[in-house]
Amino acid sequence: MATNAIHGRFGALLVDQSAAANGSASQLGNLSDWSIDGQRDQVEVSVLGENVKTYVAGMSDFTGTLNGVLNTASNGIYTVADGIARTFYLYVDNTDATSKSPVPTGKGYWYGQALFNGVSTQGGVGDAVKWTINWSAATSIYRV
């Protein structure tokens, strides 16, 4: 049985949505799911005479995807996808389990600066209009 498991429905992304990326982070609305992928380069340093390959850790890299439902009253998703490094906080669960009210630290989160690399918007017969944003780290990304 999984212990300390949580449901993903209360996740949240707070990101600096100001035009110059110099404001406070606020919640990016209508987010429906997200992903984050952290990797580290592995560099082979094997030399003659060794019986196994040896490696050293290299640079870290974080990328991810955000998906949501289009909110026609907000341009937030288009503002953040302008190629400027923006501060973000990606919360696993942004609510208090008892009161269902937002809490400042949630149950763990990632933070740093990211480049939000454009918006893909799609829709069709029988479906809501949705958006996708891919992002990549602009600074070190930390997990709290």
Side-chain angles (χ1 to χ4, degrees):
M1 180 166 77
T3 57
N4 296 319
I6 60 172
H7 197 281
R9 71 183 180 271
F10 294 121
L13 174 71
L14 281 66
V15 62
D16 179 355
Q17 299 177 50
S18 65
N22 59 359
S24 298
S26 59
Q27 190 161 346
L28 188 65
N30 290 5
L31 183 66
S32 60
D33 61 84
W34 54 268
S35 70
I36 185 167
D37 182 32
Q39 301 290 324
R40 184 169 294 278
D41 292 341
Q42 180 175 292
V43 180
E44 184 179 348
V45 292
S46 304
V47 296
L48 295 173
E50 293 183 328
N51 293 325
V52 297
K53 290 182 179 182
T54 54
Y55 300 89
V56 295
M59 298 174 67
S60 66
D61 185 28
F62 283 86
T63 59
T65 302
L66 309 168
N67 295 297
V69 179
L70 185 65
N71 176 359
T72 59
S74 172
N75 283 327
I77 60 170
Y78 300 103
T79 301
V80 301
D82 61 0
I84 298 174
R86 293 179 177 276
T87 300
F88 79 94
Y89 303 87
L90 179 58
Y91 288 87
V92 172
D93 184 338
N94 195 38
T95 61
D96 178 274
T98 304
S99 67
K100 301 292 187 245
S101 61
V103 294
T105 58
K107 293 182 176 78
Y109 64 97
W110 290 269
Y111 72 96
Q113 287 193 333
L115 297 172
F116 297 91
N117 305 316
V119 179
S120 171
T121 309
Q122 58 276 346
V125 174
D127 199 5
V129 176
K130 299 176 183 177
W131 54 264
T132 299
I133 299 175
N134 294 310
W135 63 270
S136 54
T139 64
S140 294
I141 305 298
Y142 302 97
R143 171 84 163 98
V144 177

